[in-house]
Structures are given as structure tokens and as C-alpha cells.
Amino acid sequence: ELARDQIDAKLKLGDLDFFEQASVPPSPVHTLAQYAESWLTAAGLRLKPSSIEQYRGRLNRHILPVLGPRLLTEITRPVIRDFIGQVAKGPNRRTPDRPLSRSTTRESLRTLSAILTTAADDEVIPFNPCRGIGKYVAVQSEAPEVREIEVFSREDLAHLLTVARQDCPEYFPFLFTLARTGMRLGED
């Protein structure tokens, strides 16, 4: 009660010095590239290495080339919408003549949103400009969903297994298991 009365008295006298004394120095403003690197480092403590690798890949291929040099405070909702359009039109790694799939565009947006959510939590920016903007992915990207999986034909697979059995018998069981189960490298 005494503190409130003292503050009221200072306000009535026009003494605002206590506001300046209590002010907190502003946080340094980072570029997205700088903040993303520290975000990845922190995320590495709680996520699997394969997840960090996926985040880093999306950052390097899609996000940082477009937004990396921008200050976090410059990333607004219109900037995010433009980013979605640029990423959606970007070249596909496996089929460069086709745009990226909606799922790739959406995952890039989710990665960016995770970084900006952390920046908002850290009070570096006032809010996450990506929040609720995912609806623009379907509108901006007209690319049909394309499965980017290249598989062996029956003849190619039979030839591979025949060569492996004859020339590299130690690898035959491994290749045979992959072929028959559809397992990918890294799956147990």
C-alpha cells in the first residue's frame, strides 16, 4: 500500500524517472539465420539427431535462402505469405521441372513456425507471425502431391539380387531383406 501511494505521488508530480530505472534493456535483434542456429543447438538437446537433420535440411534448402538475412522483427504475416509462395514454386530436388509438393511446403512452414514460436516465448518478437497461416499453403501451392519415390522394376530388382548373390554373397541377405520387406536404411 505504501509503495502504491509513493508511485501515485510521483506520477502526480510528473516524476517518471522510476520508469527509466525499471526498464529492461531490449533484447538484441537477431537475423533468422542467427536465431535458427541457436534454436537448432537447443533443439539438439531434446530431439533425435535424425529430427535435427530434417530441420537443418529444411532450413538450408527452403527457409534460409529466402528469409535467413531478415531480422526476426521484419518477419511479418505478409512476408510469411510471400515466403510460402516462393517455397511452393521452388524447384523440386528430384524433379527440378516440378514445383515442391504441398507437404514439403507445409513442413517448411512448420519448421519456421517452431522457430518463431520459440522466439516469441523468448520475447525476442511479440508473437509468432506464422500462427494460423497454414491455410495459405493449399491455396498458394498448385503442385499436385507427387510421391518422390523411385523404385526398381521387377526386372531391375531380380538383376540386382542375381548380381549380389553371385558377386557379393555377403550382401545378398541384406539386399534380399530390404527388397522383400520394403524397409529403408535406418529402420530396425
Side-chain angles (χ1 to χ4, degrees), residues 156-166 172 175-176 179-180:
D156 290 341
L157 184 58
H159 179 71
L160 173 70
L161 292 174
T162 301
V163 170
R165 181 180 282 155
Q166 293 170 357
F172 177 76
L175 292 172
F176 184 78
R180 294 298 173 134

Side-chain angles (χ1 to χ4, degrees), residues 72 75-78 80 113 116-117 125 127-133:
L72 290 174
I75 300 174
T76 61
R77 292 177 71 78
I80 299 295
S113 183
L116 294 178
T117 294
I125 56 176
F127 65 95
N128 177 359
C130 290
R131 196 180 60 185
I133 209 163

Side-chain angles (χ1 to χ4, degrees), residues 65-91:
V66 178
L67 298 174
R70 285 190 180 258
L71 295 176
L72 290 174
T73 53
E74 296 174 344
I75 300 174
T76 61
R77 292 177 71 78
V79 169
I80 299 295
R81 284 192 292 271
D82 289 344
F83 162 74
I84 292 169
Q86 288 179 39
V87 169
K89 292 176 188 167

Side-chain angles (χ1 to χ4, degrees), residues 76-145:
T76 61
R77 292 177 71 78
V79 169
I80 299 295
R81 284 192 292 271
D82 289 344
F83 162 74
I84 292 169
Q86 288 179 39
V87 169
K89 292 176 188 167
N92 188 318
R93 278 189 310 157
R94 293 196 178 130
T95 50
D97 57 323
R98 299 187 78 150
L100 289 177
S101 69
R102 282 187 295 274
S103 62
T104 300
T105 303
R106 194 173 293 117
E107 288 303 317
S108 296
L109 181 61
R110 282 186 184 137
T111 300
L112 177 60
S113 183
I115 293 167
L116 294 178
T117 294
T118 304
D121 291 346
D122 291 346
E123 298 179 353
V124 176
I125 56 176
F127 65 95
N128 177 359
C130 290
R131 196 180 60 185
I133 209 163
K135 60 188 170 198
Y136 292 101
V137 173
V139 173
Q140 293 289 335
S141 176
E142 297 176 9
E145 291 292 326

Side-chain angles (χ1 to χ4, degrees), residues 24-46:
V24 177
S27 300
V29 179
H30 301 283
T31 64
L32 178 64
Q34 292 167 329
Y35 194 82
E37 190 57 42
S38 65
W39 180 84
L40 274 175
T41 301
L45 300 174
R46 66 184 198 296

